[in-house]
Amino acid sequence: MIFNPEYECMERDKMRELQSRRLVETVKTCYEKSPFYRKKMDEIGVKPEDIKSIDDIHKLPFTTKIDLRDEYPFGLQVVPQSEVVRIHASSGTTGKPVVATYTKHDLDVWSEGVARVMSAGGVTKDDIVQVSYGYGLFTGGLGAHDGALKIGATQLPTSSGNTKKQIMLMKDFGTTALCCTPSYAMHIAEAIESSHTLSLDDMKLKVGFFGAEPWSNGMRKTIEKRLRLKAIDIYGLTEISGPGVGGECECQDGIHIWEDFFYPEIINPETLQPVPEGEFGELVFTTLCKEAMPILRYRTRDLTRIRYEKCKCGRTAARIDRIFGRSDDMLIIRGVNVFPSQIETCLTEFPAFQPYYFITVDRINHEDSFEIKVELRPEFYVTPPEKQLVYVNPLYKRIVSVTGIKPSIKVVPPMTLERSEGKAKHVLDMRKYDD
Ligand SMILES: [Zn+2]
């Protein structure tokens, strides 16, 4: 179902008009009320009156994660605190978190974005939506919660963790839609499989909304098979609002971006110039109706491409490819660019392996080592290591052909790689600590 056809299916030229109006307003507000943006715009000699339509967006300065950290906590807020109804923050791996504040209207926009994705995945007021994203400062839990509320579905706010109880409630309450990270969805699938008392036959799951970390199409197929549901990719980031900046429709052919709220651009991360439609580059967002903390041209570090042709579902909202990696996640090993999600894709092609892995990179005798720990599914696990070669050799060849470099693959006993209840950690780069 299309939650808001007027905007999701708006004709392209009408959408550009709407975006133009909203951009002009946003830029005016930023210049008048934000010392940060006024300084940035003054530095490059751009005045609000230079921005007459969405075509002028490239004249505006970029915003980066470093800017957000420098302005911690409320430097980018342009409304008085009395207008703010909620604060979220993303856990930074280093230093201060990135903070986002919201007015009532901002929460409405955010929850509508989520509701559009859930609606596309078939959720109605008759559904029971289990929110197994963590509740708290992280935008996942409350974001999904408010989206389900907007539709009028029944929310089941289990938050993450306590997997056994999650599954018990899933069965007893008849959960039909599941929201969590793809890593946690796998973990839930595995817990059901290894249970002697629970079976998917007792469950009513039909759809899952998974996001907050990059995941491959292979992982999607694995989750769909192992949880017997349709797995929908929901995309978002705290800096822009939270989950639901966009999401897949029932066609699962790209992530629709809710362009009436968030304007997407793809730029070449080196030259910072826009790339032609269909070419890969870095995704950049400008918020078009955010009140508390509007953001101009935020560099997401997510690598993707954009398409504007109308989707089979009837929506005209632009589509980006699923995010296969962030430039921050990219490893350079022996001079070659490697994304951890490439390893996941390879693993999901071999049924003997679990889609779990852990990469360790180090520098030994001036050369990069590249070790991947993997797990065989219990029914395939054999020792000693020579007996594992029948499974490991084809995987090794596949990884070499996909990444172009030779890893050392180490099989660990079943259930020994960490199962994540939130975002999974896949990489340890020891080279960072060498110098
Ligand atoms: Zn579509």
Side-chain angles (χ1 to χ4, degrees):
M1 206 196 100
I2 299 179
F3 186 81
N4 194 338
E6 186 188 347
Y7 293 97
E8 293 175 62
C9 308
M10 191 176 258
E11 281 176 34
R12 295 289 335 159
D13 48 349
K14 268 188 145 178
M15 178 59 79
R16 302 246 346 144
E17 266 172 46
L18 176 74
Q19 290 169 330
S20 293
R21 275 203 312 278
R22 290 184 170 174
L23 179 71
V24 169
E25 274 307 305
T26 300
V27 171
K28 219 170 130 225
T29 307
C30 284
Y31 192 80
E32 282 167 9
K33 298 191 174 160
S34 160
F36 167 82
Y37 278 119
R38 181 193 294 249
K39 185 165 168 263
K40 273 216 161 195
M41 285 171 65
D42 283 345
E43 272 169 11
I44 54 170
V46 182
K47 297 279 176 238
E49 35 300 2
D50 298 327
I51 309 301
K52 294 184 180 71
S53 81
I54 200 77
D55 298 325
D56 296 320
I57 196 162
H58 65 272
K59 294 177 184 165
L60 293 166
F62 289 103
T63 311
T64 65
K65 189 165 245 170
I66 294 166
D67 292 326
L68 300 192
R69 292 230 161 93
D70 288 347
E71 296 300 313
Y72 173 90
F74 304 131
L76 286 173
Q77 190 175 298
V78 298
V79 298
Q81 202 65 35
S82 56
E83 300 291 311
V84 172
V85 297
R86 200 187 293 162
I87 304 172
H88 278 283
S90 75
S91 56
T93 39
T94 50
K96 296 269 170 59
V98 167
V99 175
T101 66
Y102 306 78
T103 64
K104 177 76 181 62
H105 173 260
D106 292 336
L107 289 187
D108 280 345
V109 166
W110 178 14
S111 58
E112 168 150 354
V114 178
R116 289 182 190 177
V117 183
M118 286 187 176
S119 211
V123 171
T124 69
K125 64 186 180 50
D126 298 323
D127 281 285
I128 297 182
V129 180
Q130 184 160 343
V131 181
S132 308
Y133 283 112
Y135 279 64
L137 286 175
F138 171 52
T139 49
L142 282 167
H145 181 100
D146 288 348
L149 178 66
K150 193 107 181 167
I151 291 177
T154 308
Q155 309 131 58
L156 179 56
T158 49
S159 194
S160 59
N162 206 345
T163 308
K164 271 192 181 151
K165 194 171 170 196
Q166 296 259 2
I167 297 169
M168 183 188 83
L169 300 181
M170 190 179 282
K171 169 177 163 278
D172 294 347
F173 294 176
T175 298
T176 52
L178 174 67
C179 305
C180 60
T181 61
S183 301
Y184 196 41
M186 258 320 294
H187 183 32
I188 290 173
E190 199 176 31
I192 296 173
E193 286 161 13
S194 60
S195 156
H196 301 294
T197 51
L198 292 161
S199 142
L200 278 172
D201 295 335
D202 306 322
M203 308 275 177
K204 292 190 178 143
L205 288 175
K206 59 177 192 188
V207 64
F209 300 94
F210 306 126
E213 60 182 2
W215 53 307
S216 61
N217 245 328
M219 183 66 137
R220 184 222 293 282
K221 286 187 193 122
T222 304
I223 292 173
E224 289 192 327
K225 197 164 146 225
R226 289 175 72 173
L227 274 179
R228 286 191 223 151
L229 47 64
K230 186 163 187 162
I232 299 277
D233 193 346
I234 182 163
Y235 174 80
L237 60 170
T238 306
E239 296 90 321
I240 299 303
S241 92
V245 167
E248 285 179 322
C249 65
E250 56 275 30
C251 308
Q252 292 174 309
D253 181 22
I255 291 170
H256 285 284
I257 297 296
W258 309 131
E259 288 179 89
D260 46 328
F261 301 148
F262 316 103
Y263 185 77
E265 296 173 83
I266 305 287
I267 60 159
N268 177 321
E270 252 117 62
T271 65
L272 305 183
Q273 294 304 308
V275 303
E277 182 180 343
E279 271 186 30
F280 281 94
E282 181 182 338
L283 181 60
V284 169
F285 276 113
T286 299
T287 63
L288 294 177
C289 40
K290 206 161 174 224
E291 291 179 341
M293 223 181 237
I295 302 276
L296 302 180
R297 303 191 85 198
Y298 182 68
R299 293 187 58 185
T300 64
R301 309 279 163 183
D302 285 336
L303 304 174
T304 184
R305 60 180 175 158
I306 199 161
R307 290 175 290 157
Y308 289 96
E309 86 254 19
K310 188 175 174 180
C311 181
K312 284 198 198 83
C313 68
R315 290 175 184 83
T316 51
R319 278 172 290 164
I320 57 167
D321 279 17
R322 303 180 67 213
I323 310 295
F324 64 89
R326 315 189 67 160
S327 53
D328 298 355
D329 298 335
M330 191 179 78
L331 292 162
I332 302 176
I333 305 172
R334 296 169 209 155
V336 178
N337 299 348
V338 179
F339 285 97
S341 60
Q342 292 176 304
I343 307 303
E344 180 184 288
T345 301
C346 294
L347 281 167
T348 57
E349 290 169 13
F350 297 92
F353 287 97
Q354 296 277 23
Y356 301 115
Y357 62 97
F358 194 86
I359 299 170
T360 308
V361 188
D362 200 354
R363 188 161 289 138
I364 297 167
N365 299 330
H366 308 289
E367 203 175 300
D368 291 336
S369 66
F370 176 31
E371 183 199 75
I372 310 170
K373 288 197 182 81
V374 294
E375 239 184 69
L376 281 165
R377 294 181 71 160
E379 58 271 38
F380 294 95
Y381 184 67
V382 282
T383 49
E386 299 85 77
K387 285 194 178 168
Q388 297 161 351
L389 288 177
V390 59
Y391 304 116
V392 170
N393 284 343
L395 175 69
Y396 174 84
K397 278 189 194 146
R398 185 71 183 130
I399 292 175
V400 173
S401 90
V402 168
T403 64
I405 47 172
K406 295 174 179 172
S408 118
I409 296 180
K410 189 164 178 238
V411 176
V412 297
M415 299 304 289
T416 49
L417 287 175
E418 193 191 348
R419 268 55 172 171
S420 174
E421 292 172 351
K423 302 186 194 193
K425 281 199 184 66
H426 291 300
V427 178
L428 175 64
D429 192 343
M430 296 295 289
R431 297 172 300 182
K432 287 181 187 165
Y433 309 104
D434 286 351
D435 307 319

